[in-house]
Amino acid sequence: MTDFSKGLVAALASNLLFSMLFLYGTWMYPMTGTEVFAWRMVAMLAAICVLMGMSDGWKAAGQFVRETGRDWKRWFLIMLPTPVFASQLWLFVWSPVNGEGVNVAMGYFLFPLAMLACGRIWFKETLNRLQIVAVVSACLGVVWELVRSGAFSWATVWVFGTYPIYYLARRKLGVPALIGLTFDLLVIAPCALSCILTQTDTINLIASTPKLIGFIVLLGINSAVAMHLNLKASQLLPIAVFGMLSYLEPVLLFIISIAWLGEPLESGSLISYGFIWLGLSLMMVNGWLAMKRRVV
C-alpha cells in the first residue's frame, strides 16, 4: 500500500472508532454517562501509556519536558485548556444517553467552521472566497436556529464554542498532539479515579455485572487506537484530504443519534442544518481544489 492508501484507511478507521465511542454509554448501562466518562479516562490513560511506550512517545515527552524546563508560565498556559478538553470528553459520552446526541453532532458540524473563523481572528490567517462563504453559510444556519426556536442548544454551543480554544492554544504553544493528550490524561484520570472511588458505586456494579470489565478495557483501547490512527493519518495524508475526511465523524454521529438512538429531528431545524452542511460542502470543495493545485 502507498502512504496515501495507508493514510486513507487510517483516517476512515479512526472516524469509525471515534463514532463507536458515542455508543458506550448505552452499552455500559446501568452506568450513567458521567460514570462511563470517568472509567474512560482511567482506561484511556492506561492504553495511551502503552501506546507511548510502543512509539517512543515517552522519549519525545521527556525531551519536551526538558525543553520547557521551569518555565512555569508556559506550563500554566499548556495545561490551562485541559478542563475544556475534559468537559468535551464528558459531553461526548454523556450526551447520547441524555437526549443530546443530535445537538452534539451539530456542534461537531460547526466545529471546523469555528476553527476557520478563530484561525482568521487569532492567527490572522487569510480566508479565500470559498472559505468566507462557508463561514457565512454556517452563521446563517446558527441565526436561523435562533430565530426559529429562540435558543440554541447549550451542548451545541459548548462543542463549537470551546473546543477551538483547546486546539488553538495547543497549536500556539507548539505542543505535539499525543504528548499534549498524555499530559491531559495525567491530570484528568486521577481526578476521575477519585470520583469513581468516592462518589460512585460502580465497583460493586462491576462486581455484579462482570461484562462491564470488558467494556472498560475496550473503552480504553478504542480511545487510544482511534487517536493513534487519527495522528497517523494526519502525517500520511495531504492536509486538504485529512481535513475533508475529518467531516465524516459528525456525519456518523448524526446518523447514530437519529437511526440508532432514536432522537427526534424537528423539521424546522433542517433549514439550519442545510446552511451548515452547505458550509461544510464548500469547505470540502475548497480542500479538493487546494489538493488539485498541489498535484498540478
Side-chain angles (χ1 to χ4, degrees):
M1 295 178 69
T2 63
D3 284 347
F4 182 86
S5 298
K6 292 177 182 177
L8 195 62
V9 171
L12 293 173
S14 69
N15 279 288
L16 288 172
L17 288 172
F18 278 129
S19 301
M20 282 180 61
L21 290 169
F22 211 50
L23 292 169
Y24 274 85
T26 59
W27 292 339
M28 295 177 69
Y29 181 83
M31 281 191 186
T32 66
T34 299
E35 289 169 344
V36 173
F37 158 75
W39 279 108
R40 181 190 176 188
M41 295 300 95
V42 174
M44 190 176 176
L45 176 60
I48 286 292
C49 286
V50 173
L51 181 61
M52 290 280 283
M54 293 172 59
S55 60
D56 290 329
W58 290 117
K59 182 178 179 180
Q63 179 64 29
F64 182 85
V65 170
R66 286 191 293 272
E67 289 175 355
T68 306
R70 295 184 179 182
D71 187 346
W72 303 118
K73 180 180 178 181
R74 178 174 168 79
W75 278 116
F76 173 76
L77 293 174
I78 288 173
M79 303 311 299
L80 188 61
T82 297
V84 171
F85 182 62
S87 70
Q88 294 290 347
L89 294 182
W90 167 79
L91 182 59
F92 192 87
V93 175
W94 177 89
S95 61
V97 292
N98 288 275
E100 292 286 347
V102 169
N103 291 327
V104 166
M106 191 174 198
Y108 279 96
F109 279 126
L110 285 166
F111 169 63
L113 296 161
M115 285 285 287
L116 195 67
C118 289
R120 175 70 182 91
I121 296 169
W122 198 343
F123 292 101
K124 308 300 180 184
E125 295 178 351
T126 302
L127 303 184
N128 59 36
R129 290 180 180 177
L130 268 180
Q131 290 173 323
I132 292 172
V133 175
V135 173
V136 170
S137 179
C139 289
L140 288 174
V142 173
V143 170
W144 174 260
E145 188 65 18
L146 289 173
V147 171
R148 183 188 72 84
S149 62
F152 215 68
S153 167
W154 67 269
T156 302
V157 174
W158 191 256
V159 172
F160 80 82
T162 67
Y163 230 154
I165 296 172
Y166 173 80
Y167 281 101
L168 294 174
R170 290 292 171 84
R171 177 180 171 182
K172 182 75 173 179
L173 294 166
V175 183
L178 187 56
I179 292 175
L181 175 63
T182 304
F183 289 164
D184 289 327
L185 291 174
L186 286 171
V187 173
I188 300 169
C191 298
L193 181 59
S194 175
C195 178
I196 289 170
L197 296 176
T198 62
Q199 303 297 320
T200 74
D201 193 38
T202 55
I203 300 296
N204 290 329
L205 182 61
I206 291 170
S208 62
T209 315
K211 71 174 184 178
L212 290 174
I213 298 174
F215 278 118
I216 290 170
V217 173
L218 287 174
L219 190 58
I221 295 173
N222 192 336
S223 299
V225 172
M227 181 60 65
H228 173 68
L229 290 175
N230 187 261
L231 293 173
K232 196 70 176 176
S234 69
Q235 296 170 350
L236 295 173
L237 291 174
I239 293 175
V241 177
F242 179 73
M244 285 188 289
L245 290 173
S246 67
Y247 303 145
L248 176 61
E249 183 183 348
V251 172
L252 293 173
L253 297 183
F254 180 80
I255 292 172
I256 289 172
S257 298
I258 300 296
W260 191 303
L261 301 176
E263 293 190 20
L265 179 63
E266 298 179 22
S267 58
S269 65
L270 289 175
I271 297 177
S272 304
Y273 273 105
F275 280 118
I276 293 168
W277 287 335
L278 174 60
L280 286 177
S281 298
L282 292 173
M283 288 280 288
M284 293 179 70
V285 170
N286 182 74
W288 180 78
L289 291 174
M291 182 181 65
K292 189 176 179 180
R293 285 194 294 269
R294 289 192 186 94
V295 172
V296 174

